[in-house]
Amino acid sequence: MMPVGPLMKEHRLIERMIGVMAGSLEEIRKEGKADPCFIDTAVDFIRTYADRCHHGKEEEILFRELAKKKLSQEHRRIMNELIEEHKMGRNNVKKLKAAKESYVRGEEAALKDIISNMEILTQFYPRHIEKEDKHFFLPCMDYLTPKERDKMLEEMGEFDKGMIHEKYTQVVESIGREEA
Ligand SMILES: [Fe+2]
Ligand SMILES: [Fe+2]
């Protein structure tokens, strides 16, 4: 399997979650209220799965190795755009979480920030994924030798193995901080 294989598989799950979020966004608009528990789940999915696990492998393994190669101008430009888009996604998730917290405190006006950030995220992710799937991942495999591809795939597996421990170490540490 190509090292972009697992990444493309992860795109399919991210797309499913984005579809669920788009449905929830419609409900929020129709009913004029949001479900904070759903937003918590969506924020956790995006932060842990889409950002740490998925973008983590893209940035810390795939892009890191591609940055060492003599990329075409177009591929270099796309890679930089993808990195910027990851940053934008992180920023919107942060804003979505903050808006949810204000909303839970009773600030009704925060609903419009929940809506606008969910709107940005549900529009941004499908475009970002399409750019990677159709214009970047496969052509970029040509820069790697078969040996480099195998090594990358193995490193991605190792990265994933560490994720569950990292996630729950963070959970315990954040509880520890709240109790302190
Ligand atoms: Fe990405
Ligand atoms: Fe991706």
Side-chain angles (χ1 to χ4, degrees):
M1 190 178 14
M2 294 262 215
V4 289
L7 297 176
M8 288 169 109
K9 206 173 145 204
E10 288 165 9
H11 281 169
R12 305 291 79 79
L13 190 63
I14 296 169
E15 280 171 343
R16 274 175 69 188
M17 186 59 178
I18 292 299
V20 176
M21 283 177 71
S24 163
L25 180 58
E26 281 312 300
E27 289 284 300
I28 294 171
R29 281 204 189 100
K30 215 166 29 186
E31 294 178 12
K33 60 181 173 54
D35 171 5
C37 289
F38 175 78
I39 297 172
D40 280 339
T41 304
V43 166
D44 180 63
F45 178 89
I46 296 175
R47 283 191 166 165
T48 307
Y49 189 79
D51 196 35
R52 183 68 193 121
C53 172
H54 179 77
H55 296 163
K57 290 198 289 297
E58 289 175 348
E59 292 183 4
E60 292 172 33
I61 302 174
L62 177 66
F63 299 173
R64 179 201 69 201
E65 289 309 308
L66 290 175
K68 297 174 187 168
K69 306 285 177 183
K70 210 175 171 321
L71 298 185
S72 71
Q73 239 181 14
E74 199 205 349
H75 291 146
R76 177 80 50 187
R77 176 184 58 79
I78 296 178
M79 190 163 85
N80 289 335
E81 278 174 17
L82 295 171
I83 294 168
E84 282 312 305
E85 287 167 12
H86 290 173
K87 284 186 197 153
M88 200 195 83
R90 260 166 228 145
N91 194 26
N92 285 113
V93 173
K94 197 173 164 192
K95 286 187 188 163
L96 176 60
K97 188 170 187 281
K100 184 229 69 178
E101 277 159 13
S102 303
Y103 184 73
V104 168
R105 283 196 301 270
E107 294 168 34
E108 295 272 322
L111 192 68
K112 75 169 185 5
D113 293 330
I114 291 179
I115 292 174
S116 67
N117 283 291
M118 280 179 70
E119 226 165 43
I120 294 170
L121 288 165
T122 51
Q123 286 168 8
F124 146 76
Y125 267 106
R127 285 204 303 266
H128 179 81
I129 285 174
E130 191 182 351
K131 196 188 277 186
E132 289 176 340
D133 279 353
K134 301 203 172 141
H135 306 284
F136 191 71
F137 279 179
L138 293 174
C140 281
M141 289 298 94
D142 291 342
Y143 294 107
L144 306 168
T145 64
K147 209 174 153 196
E148 285 170 329
R149 289 179 198 171
D150 289 348
K151 205 172 149 233
M152 194 180 273
L153 191 60
E154 203 185 303
E155 195 181 347
M156 287 183 176
E158 287 302 312
F159 186 99
D160 282 348
K161 266 194 220 162
M163 273 294 307
I164 189 83
H165 305 285
E166 183 183 299
K167 162 76 184 171
Y168 283 95
T169 300
Q170 266 174 12
V171 167
V172 172
E173 281 175 355
S174 71
I175 291 169
R177 272 201 299 278
E178 276 163 25
E179 282 175 349

